[in-house]
């Protein structure tokens, strides 16, 4: 039964020699999903409270400097993501780089806790701690890489859905966790007579705890088993193309890969921008106080988290990918994002004007709501957006569009690359999102400060529209990697066994069951 000279006409497509077919290690996938949640929550956990806290620590800080604080997180991630990816490829494991990432995130959050007690300029220390935390969060790349290469082709959409679900829930539920700490208020209560736990610092304590328990889960519950990689021999005598029994893995479609990068950039660009100006926008547009802005933003993110969970349940439990292809679902998500911006645009024909104030006429901080005419010259021209329409559109559209895009783009990207180690390419995929997180907050803060929310919305509509056009032009190329068959094809499995696949006249793809 293990005779490699078996005739290609035999009906059996796989013949195990020494070992069974590799199976997906679901417990490790679940751990990877939990760690993805931990890494992604580090980015969004502070968003609803970061700007108000910065104003308390240093009232001279501007919206533009706040944009730098948000962006520097992505600078650290841009540096660390490809580094972690290349490192994991070189040592053929993800465990050690994951430990390093968890330590850096723990250190960054510890620095954030110390902001109130240090003599170092506080706004610059906040800049440093966000950079360190961002560098640690680059290990999310390794978790997505693991899900892509540790799962069989049959299990891959579900495995990636688990990991990207953890990542998306971390991004959307991070601000919602702020609601837990809202009753603490400010200045809160003292800890060890020096540090304080309050509305603004409690998320950092939670983040440190998540990093600690994440390291324990990595130590005792995570095992590296790769069921989705076809290894090739290292001996030159075994790799001659004329006699090699191993399948030749062709080069992936660079254009398709670049479009995946652009789509990831667009997704993170929009998500980061909305979170960056979310509190400031609600305080100006809806006359919210700082506390009310934090509460409403956190509550909206909690609702988004519910919709995100329902979307991932549809993919994991109901296998939604069998009803709509990844390509169509991704394009639908981009269209939904455009609709959101059109619904929440401050159109000139909307009746009324936003409430205005200036610093000299209002003494109490609680009464300084609306648009500050001392800071912004565009206040008198701005029409108010309906608060119910804005939050309803935000919860429904963002709650569905982002998780769908997370699953479809990540799954399709993995299949476009093929059954090879993907650490470096997945690192670059993460970098594209990191670049968006770096550029987005700076660009949107500058546009918002100089020209108001209309120009910020115009920029985002342009970016989404350009990405959607790229998908339309190259739609037929956004397909899984095609691997030519070999007659007979004898592959060494990751477990050490072999399989024989009979010759077929048509090339096989990375997925023969899903309509991509």
């Amino acid at each position: 039964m293990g005779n490699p000279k078996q005739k290609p006409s035999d009906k059996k497509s796989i013949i195990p020699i020494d070992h069974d077919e590799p199976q997906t290690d679901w417990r490790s996938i679940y751990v990877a999903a939990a760690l993805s949640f931990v890494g992604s929550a580090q980015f969004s956990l502070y968003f609803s409270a970061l700007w108000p806290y910065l104003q308390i620590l240093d009232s001279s800080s501007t919206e533009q400097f706040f944009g730098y604080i948000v962006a520097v997180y992505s600078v650290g991630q841009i540096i660390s993501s490809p580094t972690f990816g290349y490192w994991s490829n070189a040592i053929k494991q993800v465990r050690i780089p994951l430990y390093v990432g968890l330590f850096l995130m723990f250190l960054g959050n510890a620095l954030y806790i110390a902001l109130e007690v240090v003599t170092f300029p506080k706004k610059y220390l906040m800049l440093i701690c966000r950079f360190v935390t961002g560098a640690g969060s680059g290990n999310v790349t390794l978790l997505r890489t693991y899900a892509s290469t540790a799962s069989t082709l049959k299990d891959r959409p579900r495995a990636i859905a688990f990991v990207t679900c953890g990542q998306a829930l971390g991004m959307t539920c991070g601000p919602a966790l702020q609601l837990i700490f809202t009753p603490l208020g400010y200045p809160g209560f003292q800890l060890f007579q020096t540090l304080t736990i309050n509305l603004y610092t409690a998320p950092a304590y939670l983040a440190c705890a998540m990093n600690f328990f994440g390291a324990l889960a990595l130590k005792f519950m995570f095992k590296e088993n790769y069921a989705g990689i076809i290894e090739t021999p290292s001996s030159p005598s075994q790799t001659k193309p004329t006699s090699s029994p191993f399948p030749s893995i062709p080069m992936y479609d660079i254009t398709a890969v670049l479009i995946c990068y652009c789509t990831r950039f667009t997704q993170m660009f929009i998500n980061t921008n909305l979170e960056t100006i979310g509190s400031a926008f609600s305080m100006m547009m809806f006359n919210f106080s700082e506390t009310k802005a934090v509460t409403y933003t956190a509550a909206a993110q909690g609702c988004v988290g519910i919709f995100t969970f329902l979307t991932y349940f549809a993919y994991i439990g109901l296998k939604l990918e069998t009803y709509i292809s990844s390509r169509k679902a991704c394009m639908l998500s981009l269209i939904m994002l455009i609709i959101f911006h059109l619904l929440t645009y401050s159109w000139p024909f909307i009746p009324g004007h936003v409430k205005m104030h200036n610093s000299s006429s209002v003494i109490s901080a609680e009464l300084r709501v609306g648009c500050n005419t001392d800071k912004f010259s565009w206040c008198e021209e701005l029409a108010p957006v309906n608060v119910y329409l804005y939050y309803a559109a935000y919860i429904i559209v963002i709650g569905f569009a982002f998780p769908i895009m997370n699953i479809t783009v990540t799954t399709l990207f993995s299949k476009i690359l093929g059954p090879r180690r993907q650490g470096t390419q997945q690192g670059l995929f993460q970098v594209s999102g990191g670049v968006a997180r770096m550029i987005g907050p700076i660009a949107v803060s500058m546009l918002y400060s100089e020209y108001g929310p209309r120009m910020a919305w115009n920029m985002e509509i342009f970016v989404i529209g350009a990405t959607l056009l790229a998908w339309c032009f190259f739609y037929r190329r956004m397909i899984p990697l095609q691997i030519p068959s070999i007659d007979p094809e004898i592959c060494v499995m990751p477990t050490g066994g072999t399989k024989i696949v009979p010759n077929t006249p048509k090339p096989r793809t990375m997925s023969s069951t899903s309509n991509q």
Side-chain angles (χ1 to χ4, degrees), residues 327-438:
R327 295 184 296 177
K328 293 177 181 178
C330 186
M331 294 180 69
L332 178 62
S333 299
L334 292 170
I335 293 173
M336 292 173 66
L337 291 179
I338 292 179
I339 292 175
F340 165 79
H341 285 82
L342 295 179
L343 290 175
T344 60
Y345 194 87
S346 179
W347 297 100
F349 56 78
I350 297 177
H353 293 85
V354 296
K355 185 176 179 180
M356 294 177 286
H357 76 272
N358 57 62
S359 302
S360 60
S361 63
V362 179
I363 299 177
S364 175
E366 287 77 10
L367 298 177
R368 294 175 187 173
V369 295
C371 192
N372 190 341
T373 56
D374 290 340
K375 295 177 64 176
F376 308 122
S377 60
W378 38 263
C379 291
E380 296 181 358
E381 302 175 356
L382 192 64
V385 176
N386 185 278
V387 59
Y388 301 105
L389 176 63
Y390 175 82
Y391 281 112
Y394 183 87
I395 291 170
I396 296 174
V397 175
I398 303 302
F400 283 121
F402 280 167
I404 290 174
M405 195 178 299
N406 255 334
I407 297 174
T408 55
V409 176
T410 305
T411 302
L412 188 57
F413 180 69
S414 170
K415 292 181 179 180
I416 289 172
L417 293 177
R420 50 167 56 89
R421 292 194 177 271
Q422 302 178 3
T424 302
Q425 291 85 356
Q426 292 282 359
L428 295 176
F429 185 72
Q430 186 73 11
V431 165
S432 63
V435 170
R437 285 177 169 176
M438 180 182 67

Side-chain angles (χ1 to χ4, degrees), residues 247-253 416-420 481-484 508:
S248 175
I249 304 177
M251 181 63 179
Y252 47 79
D253 189 333
I416 289 172
L417 293 177
R420 50 167 56 89
L481 180 69
Q482 294 183 328
I483 306 176
R508 59 186 177 92

Side-chain angles (χ1 to χ4, degrees), residues 50 173 203 217 241 256 277 414:
L50 194 59
C173 293
I277 66 173
S414 170

Side-chain angles (χ1 to χ4, degrees), residues 68-113:
Y68 294 144
I69 290 177
V70 176
V72 77
Y73 178 97
S74 300
V75 175
Q77 194 175 77
I78 289 171
I79 296 173
S80 65
S81 292
T83 304
F84 281 148
Y86 180 81
W87 185 16
S88 68
N89 273 6
I91 64 177
K92 295 187 177 182
Q93 65 164 288
V94 299
R95 186 185 300 273
I96 295 178
L98 283 174
Y99 278 129
V100 174
L102 289 170
F103 170 76
L104 290 176
M105 288 188 288
F106 184 93
L107 177 62
N109 286 292
L111 291 175
Y112 186 90
I113 293 172

Side-chain angles (χ1 to χ4, degrees), residues 35-161:
L35 292 176
S36 293
F37 176 88
V38 171
S40 298
Q42 313 287 320
F43 178 67
S44 61
L45 187 60
Y46 303 93
F47 260 122
S48 58
L50 194 59
W51 167 248
Y53 190 43
L54 179 62
Q55 290 292 291
I56 292 174
L57 295 174
D58 190 341
S59 59
S60 65
S61 301
T62 64
E63 285 88 351
Q64 185 171 343
F65 189 84
F66 177 64
Y68 294 144
I69 290 177
V70 176
V72 77
Y73 178 97
S74 300
V75 175
Q77 194 175 77
I78 289 171
I79 296 173
S80 65
S81 292
T83 304
F84 281 148
Y86 180 81
W87 185 16
S88 68
N89 273 6
I91 64 177
K92 295 187 177 182
Q93 65 164 288
V94 299
R95 186 185 300 273
I96 295 178
L98 283 174
Y99 278 129
V100 174
L102 289 170
F103 170 76
L104 290 176
M105 288 188 288
F106 184 93
L107 177 62
N109 286 292
L111 291 175
Y112 186 90
I113 293 172
L115 279 172
E116 284 189 309
V117 298
V118 297
T119 57
F120 191 82
K122 300 183 187 303
K123 66 179 183 180
Y124 294 109
L125 181 58
M126 183 180 286
L127 193 77
I128 293 172
C129 72
R130 292 304 286 169
F131 172 82
V132 175
T133 306
S137 69
N139 67 0
V140 174
T141 297
L142 304 174
L143 300 168
R144 192 168 52 245
T145 301
Y146 179 78
S148 300
T149 54
S151 56
T152 62
L153 292 178
K154 177 183 177 182
D155 296 333
R156 185 159 305 170
R158 185 165 177 256
I160 290 178

Side-chain angles (χ1 to χ4, degrees), residues 27 31 33 50 57 102 149 168 193 203 207 239 269 300 303 305 310 313 336 340 394 428 500:
R27 189 179 75 168
V31 173
L50 194 59
L57 295 174
L102 289 170
T149 54
Q193 297 182 346
T239 57
F269 186 80
C303 294
L310 292 175
F313 175 77
M336 292 173 66
F340 165 79
Y394 183 87
L428 295 176
I500 302 176

